[in-house]
C-alpha cells in the first residue's frame, strides 16, 4: 500500500499548517530522510522528511495552501511495484476510517489524545485585595512588617502563639519578634532550648490540639533537624487521617544565603518545601507582602512555611496600615510590566532581576519581572500569560539547578505555551555546589545582576 | 598526676595560641576584613588543651560552631586556619569552609560543625571505627550546654553505650546556649547526670583550671582506652565573648565579663599555679607569649596579603572525582 504523507503535528497544540513549498515533484525517487516539503506554522518553518524510500506518486495539496488540518494526507509515496491506481484505494480507505472515527467520537464523546502531564492539586486562589486609593500606608522594614503581622494576629486570636529559640527574652536572633514578649507575656511568646526537632513536633501537637502556633526557626538551615516533623507530621496528617486532623501551623524564619556563613548556614530550601503536597510555601520579597502573606499564613487552616530572607529584613517599603491586610497565598505579582522578555523569581533574587531590568531598559530591552511570592501553590498562570506576551523566559533563583523552582516553571510553560516560545527558556540558579565561604567564590556561586543580563541576552539572541 | 615541664610548656603554648588567635580575630573582625559568623572560644582554652594533650594522632575529635580552640589543640596548622578564616586559597580548607567548618583528617580533626548537636553522633561512628581498629584509640565529641539538649546528643549517648564505643562526650558548660542561660535551657540539675542515666561513667570538673582538667582527663582516657565503655565529662567553663562576634550580650549581668576575666581566666590560673608550685618559670612562659604573639602577627599579615581562591576552585571538591 502506498505510504501516506500527512500534515505533521509539530507541537502538541498545533491544529493546522501551511505547505510553504514542495522540494520534490511527482516521479522523483526519494530515500527515507530526504526533505519533501517545507511546512510553515505560526511559529516556525519546518522541513518535512520522507519516512520511507520510494517514488513521489502524487502531491495531493499544492504548495502555498494554508490552514491544512493536522493529519490530512498531502502526498503519497509509491514503493516498489506500486502504481498510481493503488493510491486511490488508499485514499478511499483513509476516508472510511475517518468517518468511523468521527462516528465513534460522536457516540462516546471521546476527545483526541492529549499528553498526560502531571499537575499539582488544583486550588482556587483569590485576587489580591483592592486597596482604596486613600489607604493609610506606613514605611516599615520587612522585619517590622513581620512583627506587626504576628502581633495583629495574636491580638485577633488568642490561640496564636510564637515559639522558638531566642524569640522571647532576646526578641529574636534577627530581632523579628521585638516587643512580643512585652505585649503578650511568656505564656504566648515562648523561648526554647536549641531543639529544632522538638519545637517542630511540639508545634504540630499544639496545632492538632487546636492552637495556632507560629514556630520560628533561627534560620531554615536549622529546620533540617526538624524536617521530619514538618513533612511527616504537619504536611501529611490531614490526608492520612482522611481529613479528621488539621494542622494550622506556621513555620517561619530566614531562608537562603546570608553573607560569608558557608555551606551549612547558606541554603535555599524553596524547592525542598515546594515539593511537598500538604504544605503551602510563601517567600515574600517586599515589606507589604511580608505582612500580608504572614497574616494569611497564620489564618490559613493548613501548615504554611514562610521563607524569609536575612538580607531583606532591613529593607523598607510602604505597608498598608490595616489589621486585615491579608494576601492570597498562591498568587504571583508583576513587579514591572514589560514586552520583550519575562523574568520570574522570588525573594532576594528579585534584586538581581530588577537591577538587570533597569540596566537592560537603557539598552532598549523591556523586561517583565514577576515575583512568584508563593511557591506552593505556584502561580504558573501568571507566568504563562506573560510568556504568551513576551515569548521569552528567564527564571532566577538562589537554589540549586537540579529539580529546582525554575525546572518546575519550565515544565509548566513548555506544556502550556510551547508554541509561544521564541527561544529556549534560560535558568539562572545557584551553582551546583555547597555554598563556599571565600568572598569571591560565594559571589560566583550565587545569582547576580550580570548573570541575569547574560541570560536575557541569550534568550533575546542579542550580543551583550 | 605527673606532667613534665616540657609538656606543661606545650600545654601553655597551645592555650595561649588559642587565646591570642581569638583575641586577634575579635580585633580584626572589627576592621570589617572578616565577614560572616565567628564564634570565639576564648575563656575555654583549658578544656580543649586539657583534653587534647591526652590524645594521640589517631584519636579523633568533632567540634562545634565554636571550634577554633579544638582545632588548635588537636594540632591544626594555625597559619592555615587564619588563611581559611580570611577566605584564602591556601587556607586549611582552601577557603571553602571558613570559621565554622575547619577540618583536617590527618590531625584527627573530623570537623567543626555549624549545626548544634551535629557532632556527637559522628563521634560515635568514629569511636566504633576505633573499636574495630582495636589499638586503643578513641574519639571525643566536644559539645556545649546548648547541644546537650538536642535529641541527636541523646541518641549518640545511648548508641555509644549500646555499642560499647570508646567515645568521650566532653560537655563544655559555658552557661549560655547562644543567648539563653543554662538555668532556663537545661532542665536537669547538671549535664553529667544525664550521661550517667544513659549508663556511662561521668566526671565533673572545673574547666578553668588546666591542672584539674588534665588530671581528670587522665582518668577518663584510661577508662575509655581500657574498653570500659564510653564516658562523659562536664566542664564548668566561661565564655569571654558573645555567642558570635557582634552579639550585644545584653543578657549578661552587669560587670559579669570583667569579673570572669579577673577570677576565672584559665591562663591566669595556669600561671599562678605554675609559679606557686615552681613548675615552669615566668621567664619561660613570657618567652612563649612572645613566640605565640609573633606567630599570630605573622599569620594575620600573611592572610591579609594572600590570594583568594580562583574561579576554577568553585567547582572542585563536590565529588572526589568526576569520572
Amino acid at each position: 500500500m502506498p505510504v501516506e504523507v500527512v500534515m505533521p503535528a509539530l507541537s502538541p497544540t498545533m491544529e493546522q499548517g501551511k505547505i510553504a513549498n514542495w522540494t520534490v515533484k511527482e516521479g522523483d525517487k526519494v530515500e527515507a530522510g530526504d526533505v519533501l516539503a517545507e511546512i510553515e506554522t505560526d511559529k516556525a518553518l519546518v522541513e518535512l522528511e520522507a519516512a520511507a524510500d520510494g517514488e513521489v506518486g502524487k502531491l495531493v495539496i499544492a504548495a502555498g495552501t494554508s490552514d491544512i488540518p493536522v493529519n490530512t494526507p498531502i502526498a503519497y509515496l509509491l514503493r516498489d511495484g506500486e502504481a498510481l491506481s493503488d493510491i486511490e484505494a488508499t485514499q478511499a480507505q483513509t476516508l472510511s476510517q475517518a468517518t468511523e472515527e468521527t462516528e465513534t467520537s460522536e457516540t462516546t464523546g471521546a476527545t483526541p489524545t492529549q499528553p498526560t502531564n502531571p499537575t499539582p492539586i488544583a486550588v482556587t486562589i483569590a485576587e489580591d485585595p483592592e486597596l482604596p486609593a486613600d489607604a493609610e500606608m506606613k514605611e516599615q522594614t520587612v522585619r517590622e512588617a513581620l512583627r506587626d503581622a504576628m502581633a495583629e494576629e495574636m491580638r485577633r486570636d488568642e490561640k496564636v502563639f510564637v515559639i522558638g529559640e531566642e524569640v522571647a527574652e532576646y526578641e529574636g536572633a534577627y530581632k523579628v519578634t521585638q516587643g512580643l514578649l512585652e505585649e503578650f507575656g511568656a505564656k504566648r511568646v515562648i523561648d526554647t532550648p536549641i531543639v529544632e526537632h522538638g519545637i517542630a513536633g511540639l508545634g504540630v501537637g499544639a496545632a492538632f490540639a487546636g492552637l495556632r502556633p507560629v514556630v520560628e526557626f533561627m534560620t531554615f538551615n536549622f529546620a533540617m533537624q526538624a524536617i521530619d516533623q514538618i513533612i511527616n507530621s504537619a504536611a501529611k496528617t490531614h490526608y492520612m487521617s482522611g481529613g479528621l486532623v488539621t494542622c494550622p501551623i506556621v513555620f517561619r524564619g530566614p531562608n537562603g544565603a546570608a553573607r560569608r556563613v558557608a555551606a551549612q548556614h547558606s541554603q535555599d530550601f524553596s524547592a525542598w518545601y515546594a515539593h511537598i503536597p500538604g504544605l503551602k510555601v510563601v517567600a515574600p520579597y517586599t515589606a507589604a507582602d511580608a505582612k500580608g502573606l504572614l497574616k494569611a499564613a497564620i489564618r490559613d487552616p493548613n501548615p504554611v512555611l514562610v521563607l524569609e530572607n536575612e538580607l531583606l529584613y532591613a529593607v523598607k517599603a510602604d505597608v498598608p496600615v490595616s489589621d486585615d491586610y491579608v494576601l492570597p497565598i498562591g498568587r504571583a505579582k508583576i513587579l514591572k510590566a514589560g514586552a520583550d522578555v519575562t523574568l520570574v523569581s522570588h525573594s532576594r533574587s528579585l534584586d538581581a532581576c530588577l537591577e538587570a531590568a533597569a540596566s537592560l531598559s537603557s539598552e532598549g530591552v523591556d523586561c517583565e519581572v514577576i515575583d512568584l511570592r508563593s511557591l506552593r501553590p505556584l502561580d504558573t498562570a501568571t507566568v504563562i500569560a506573560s510568556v504568551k506576551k513576551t515569548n521569552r523566559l528567564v527564571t532566577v533563583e538562589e537554589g540549586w539547578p537540579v529539580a529546582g523552582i525554575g525546572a518546575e516553571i519550565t515544565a509548566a510553560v513548555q506544556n502550556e505555551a510551547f508554541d509561544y516560545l521564541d527561544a529556549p527558556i534560560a535558568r539562572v540558579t545557584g551553582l551546583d555546589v555547597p555554598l563556599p565561604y571565600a568572598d569571591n567564590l560565594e559571589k560566583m556561586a550565587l545569582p547576580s545582576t550580570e548573570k541575569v543580563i547574560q541570560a536575557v541576552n541569550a534568550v533575546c539572541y542579542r550580543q551583550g | 598526676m605527673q606532667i613534665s615541664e616540657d609538656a606543661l610548656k606545650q600545654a601553655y603554648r597551645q592555650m595561649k595560641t588559642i587565646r591570642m588567635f581569638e583575641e586577634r580575630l575579635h580585633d580584626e573582625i572589627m576592621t570589617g576584613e572578616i565577614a560572616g559568623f565567628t564564634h570565639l572560644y576564648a575563656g575555654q582554652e583549658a578544656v580543649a588543651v586539657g583534653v587534647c594533650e591526652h590524645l594521640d594522632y589517631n584519636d579523633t575529635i568533632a567540634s562545634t560552631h565554636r571550634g577554633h580552640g579544638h582545632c588548635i589543640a588537636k594540632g591544626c596548622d594555625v597559619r592555615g586556619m587564619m588563611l581559611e578564616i580570611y577566605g584564602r586559597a591556601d587556607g586549611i580548607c582552601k577557603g571553602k569552609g571558613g570559621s565554622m567548618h575547619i577540618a583536617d583528617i590527618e590531625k584527627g580533626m573530623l570537623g567543626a560543625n555549624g549545626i548544634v548537636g551535629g557532632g556527637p553522633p559522628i563521634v560515635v561512628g568514629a569511636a566504633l571505627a576505633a573499636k574495630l581498629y582495636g589499638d586503643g584509640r578513641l574519639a571525643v565529641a566536644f559539645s556545649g550546654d546548648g547541644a546537650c539538649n538536642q535529641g541527636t546528643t541523646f541518641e549518640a549517648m545511648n548508641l555509644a553505650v549500646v555499642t560499647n564505643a570508646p567515645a568521650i562526650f566532653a560537655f563544655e558548660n559555658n552557661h549560655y546556649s547562644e543567648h539563653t542561660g543554662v538555668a532556663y535551657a537545661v532542665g536537669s540539675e547538671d549535664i553529667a547526670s544525664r550521661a550517667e542515666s544513659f549508663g556511662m561513667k561521668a566526671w565533673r570538673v572545673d574547666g578553668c583550671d588546666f591542672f584539674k582538667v588534665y588530671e581528670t582527663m587522665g582518668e577518663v582516657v584510661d577508662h575509655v582506652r581500657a574498653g570500659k565503655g564510653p564516658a562523659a565529662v562536664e566542664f564548668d567553663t566561661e565564655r569571654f565573648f558573645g555567642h558570635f562576634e557582634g552579639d550585644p550580650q545584653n543578657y549578661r549581668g552587669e560587670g559579669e565579663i570583667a569579673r570572669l576575666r579577673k577570677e576565672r581566666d584559665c591562663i591566669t590560673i595556669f600561671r599562678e599555679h605554675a609559679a606557686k608550685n615552681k613548675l615552669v618559670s615566668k621567664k619561660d612562659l613570657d618567652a612563649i607569649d612572645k613566640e605565640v604573639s609573633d606567630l599570630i602577627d605573622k599569620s594575620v599579615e600573611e592572610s591579609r596579603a594572600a590570594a583568594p581562591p580562583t574561579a576554577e576552585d568553585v567547582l572542585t571538591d563536590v565529588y572526589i572525582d568526576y569520572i
Side-chain angles (χ1 to χ4, degrees):
Chain A
M1 190 184 287
V3 177
E4 197 174 77
V5 179
V6 300
M7 172 58 68
L10 299 168
S11 79
T13 51
M14 175 174 162
E15 289 173 356
Q16 54 203 19
K18 173 183 173 180
I19 300 171
N21 60 285
W22 288 107
T23 53
V24 291
K25 57 183 187 302
E26 291 176 359
D28 284 357
K29 298 277 188 201
V30 294
E31 290 180 0
D34 286 352
V35 175
L36 300 177
E38 288 184 319
I39 305 295
E40 192 179 323
T41 71
D42 56 345
K43 302 300 295 179
L45 197 62
V46 181
E47 289 178 342
L48 175 66
E49 294 172 357
D53 298 348
E55 181 192 323
V56 179
K58 189 175 183 185
L59 301 180
V60 185
I61 297 178
T65 310
S66 303
D67 301 337
I68 306 164
V70 162
N71 290 335
T72 305
I74 55 176
Y76 290 92
L77 298 181
L78 300 175
R79 291 182 293 191
D80 285 348
E82 290 174 345
L84 280 174
S85 58
D86 293 324
I87 294 173
E88 281 164 28
T90 308
Q91 280 176 312
Q93 192 176 343
T94 305
L95 190 67
S96 82
Q97 271 175 359
T99 312
E100 268 174 38
E101 276 172 19
T102 309
E103 284 167 358
T104 313
S105 174
E106 277 168 4
T107 49
T108 62
T111 49
T113 305
Q114 291 290 321
T116 54
N117 273 302
T119 50
I121 289 286
V123 284
T124 306
I125 295 158
E127 297 283 347
D128 272 25
E130 291 272 339
L131 277 178
D134 61 347
E136 192 189 342
M137 305 292 275
K138 179 162 72 172
E139 192 181 55
Q140 282 191 307
T141 60
V142 169
R143 174 182 283 117
E144 290 162 344
L146 290 165
R147 189 265 324 277
D148 282 2
M150 285 186 279
E152 287 169 15
E153 294 308 302
M154 289 175 83
R155 285 176 209 128
R156 176 178 176 268
D157 180 354
E158 64 177 17
K159 288 181 174 164
V160 179
F161 72 101
V162 175
I163 188 164
E165 295 157 7
E166 312 290 356
V167 297
E169 297 282 349
Y170 196 71
E171 302 193 303
Y174 296 96
K175 303 296 169 196
V176 176
T177 51
Q178 278 185 76
L180 295 186
L181 175 65
E182 193 184 357
E183 180 175 353
F184 299 101
K187 191 176 157 194
R188 294 177 69 195
V189 184
I190 304 170
D191 271 330
T192 70
I194 305 170
V195 286
E196 291 83 9
H197 190 221
I199 307 164
L202 181 158
V204 168
F208 285 173
L211 299 184
R212 288 182 170 264
V214 177
V215 173
E216 174 176 306
F217 290 117
M218 190 171 285
T219 80
F220 265 95
N221 300 290
F222 308 142
M224 256 209 279
Q225 309 271 83
I227 203 164
D228 175 68
Q229 290 290 359
I230 298 171
I231 294 171
N232 270 328
S233 303
K236 296 180 184 172
T237 300
H238 187 255
Y239 186 83
M240 294 189 298
S241 70
L244 294 179
V245 182
T246 59
C247 190
I249 191 169
V250 174
F251 297 104
R252 52 154 289 271
N255 173 62
R259 191 169 133 65
R260 302 290 306 282
V261 289
Q264 287 182 342
H265 281 64
S266 313
Q267 200 162 312
D268 179 3
F269 291 90
S270 300
W272 294 50
Y273 292 113
H275 190 59
I276 310 298
L279 296 181
K280 293 187 179 182
V281 184
V282 297
Y285 175 59
T286 66
D289 286 350
K291 181 175 177 182
L293 288 171
L294 179 52
K295 286 170 72 77
I298 294 171
R299 292 188 190 187
D300 200 290
N302 301 287
V304 184
L305 279 94
V306 182
L307 304 177
E308 301 159 9
N309 188 291
E310 183 190 333
L311 299 175
L312 294 177
Y313 277 147
V315 178
K316 284 185 175 175
D318 278 345
V319 179
V321 180
S322 161
D323 283 356
D324 287 308
Y325 183 66
V326 178
L327 290 170
I329 293 174
R331 193 163 287 281
K333 185 165 77 174
I334 297 171
L335 294 185
K336 177 192 169 301
D340 297 333
V341 55
T342 302
L343 304 182
V344 178
S345 186
H346 64 281
S347 193
R348 188 173 161 257
S349 298
L350 283 160
D351 281 353
C353 295
L354 291 170
E355 278 179 26
S359 167
L360 287 159
S361 159
S362 65
E363 297 173 27
V365 181
D366 188 14
C367 301
E368 178 145 303
V369 180
I370 296 178
D371 176 0
L372 288 170
R373 297 198 295 185
S374 168
L375 305 172
R376 180 177 266 271
L378 188 63
D379 184 0
T380 50
T382 294
V383 179
I384 287 161
S386 176
V387 169
K388 286 184 175 176
K389 181 174 72 170
T390 65
N391 310 116
R392 297 167 200 277
L393 176 62
V394 175
T395 68
V396 185
E397 66 191 305
E398 208 175 278
W400 291 306
V402 179
I405 300 292
E408 183 61 30
I409 289 171
T410 301
V413 169
Q414 69 83 27
N415 194 32
E416 296 185 49
F418 185 85
D419 285 346
Y420 291 87
L421 286 169
D422 281 346
I425 296 165
R427 289 186 291 156
V428 177
T429 69
L431 271 191
D432 198 20
V433 302
L435 200 74
Y437 167 78
D439 193 31
N440 62 330
L441 297 190
E442 185 180 62
K443 287 195 175 84
M444 286 174 213
L446 291 170
S448 65
T449 305
E450 294 70 36
K451 289 178 189 173
V452 175
I453 290 172
Q454 278 170 16
V456 170
N457 286 338
V459 301
C460 292
Y461 301 128
R462 66 193 289 273
Q463 302 290 327
Chain B
M1 168 170 270
Q2 288 298 312
I3 177 165
S4 71
E5 187 180 340
D6 279 352
L8 274 181
K9 282 202 245 179
Q10 172 59 12
Y12 180 80
R13 182 180 291 108
Q14 293 286 62
M15 286 169 60
K16 195 70 188 186
T17 306
I18 297 169
R19 176 65 56 88
M20 287 190 165
F21 190 91
E22 298 296 61
E23 300 213 310
R24 187 61 184 268
L25 275 181
H26 176 73
D27 294 341
E28 295 301 328
I29 284 163
M30 298 293 171
T31 68
E33 275 200 73
I34 300 166
F37 274 139
T38 316
H39 309 82
L40 300 182
Y41 188 73
Q44 304 178 208
E45 294 86 345
V47 178
V49 177
V51 172
C52 290
E53 286 301 301
H54 283 284
L55 303 185
D56 290 330
Y57 72 95
N58 58 5
D59 294 321
T60 51
I61 67 168
S63 175
T64 69
H65 55 283
R66 201 175 303 290
H68 305 165
H70 307 128
C71 293
I72 292 172
K74 193 68 175 64
C76 292
D77 177 41
V78 171
R79 174 186 154 275
M81 286 176 60
M82 192 65 85
L83 284 160
E84 182 65 29
I85 292 167
Y86 271 81
R88 304 308 190 206
D90 289 338
I92 200 164
C93 305
K94 304 180 197 167
K96 291 181 175 177
S99 165
M100 273 190 284
H101 305 297
I102 294 173
D104 187 354
I105 196 71
E106 287 190 5
K107 304 288 183 192
M109 172 62 196
L110 302 176
N113 200 312
I115 302 302
V116 174
I122 293 171
V123 156
V124 180
L128 199 63
K131 184 178 162 186
L132 297 178
Y133 287 122
D135 55 6
R137 69 178 79 174
L138 53 77
V140 181
F142 287 100
S143 317
D145 47 280
C148 88
N149 294 317
Q150 284 280 34
T152 50
T153 306
F154 282 30
E155 292 177 27
M157 287 196 284
N158 188 53
L159 263 176
V161 171
V162 167
T163 59
N164 195 37
I168 297 172
F169 297 91
F171 290 109
E172 296 181 73
N173 183 351
N174 65 16
H175 312 289
Y176 292 98
S177 60
E178 306 196 2
H179 322 282
T180 297
V182 70
Y184 180 85
V186 178
S188 55
E189 191 71 24
D190 64 5
I191 301 169
S193 57
R194 291 186 174 179
E196 284 164 343
S197 73
F198 278 104
M200 72 183 84
K201 194 160 183 220
W203 283 258
R204 296 159 182 81
V205 63
D206 178 1
C208 292
D209 184 331
F210 168 80
F211 296 92
K212 288 180 183 160
V213 171
Y214 188 82
E215 187 175 352
T216 303
M217 284 311 298
E219 292 173 29
V220 176
V221 165
D222 284 350
H223 171 91
V224 174
R225 289 206 200 281
K228 295 179 185 169
V233 194
E234 179 175 354
F235 302 95
D236 178 8
T237 185
E238 311 295 348
R239 195 182 80 195
F240 284 179
F241 292 106
H243 164 55
F244 60 91
E245 282 306 277
D247 178 3
Q249 299 197 76
N250 48 11
Y251 49 89
R252 297 186 88 154
E254 178 93 28
E256 177 185 317
I257 296 168
R259 180 182 59 77
L260 293 176
R261 280 189 177 266
K262 188 156 170 278
E263 297 172 4
R264 297 274 289 153
D265 184 339
C266 58
I267 306 264
T268 312
I269 293 170
F270 183 101
R271 275 179 163 266
E272 283 169 356
H273 184 96
K276 194 172 150 197
N277 297 285
K278 299 190 174 21
L279 300 172
V280 194
S281 74
K282 179 174 181 303
K283 189 172 149 247
D284 283 351
L285 294 180
D286 288 348
I288 290 172
D289 285 359
K290 174 74 175 67
E291 179 196 317
V292 171
S293 174
D294 290 348
L295 170 68
I296 302 294
D297 282 350
K298 201 161 159 284
S299 300
V300 170
E301 222 169 280
E302 191 185 341
S303 298
R304 279 187 186 145
T310 64
E312 290 78 60
D313 296 327
V314 77
L315 293 174
T316 60
D317 297 319
V318 178
Y319 299 101
I320 295 162
D321 54 42
Y322 297 81
I323 300 165

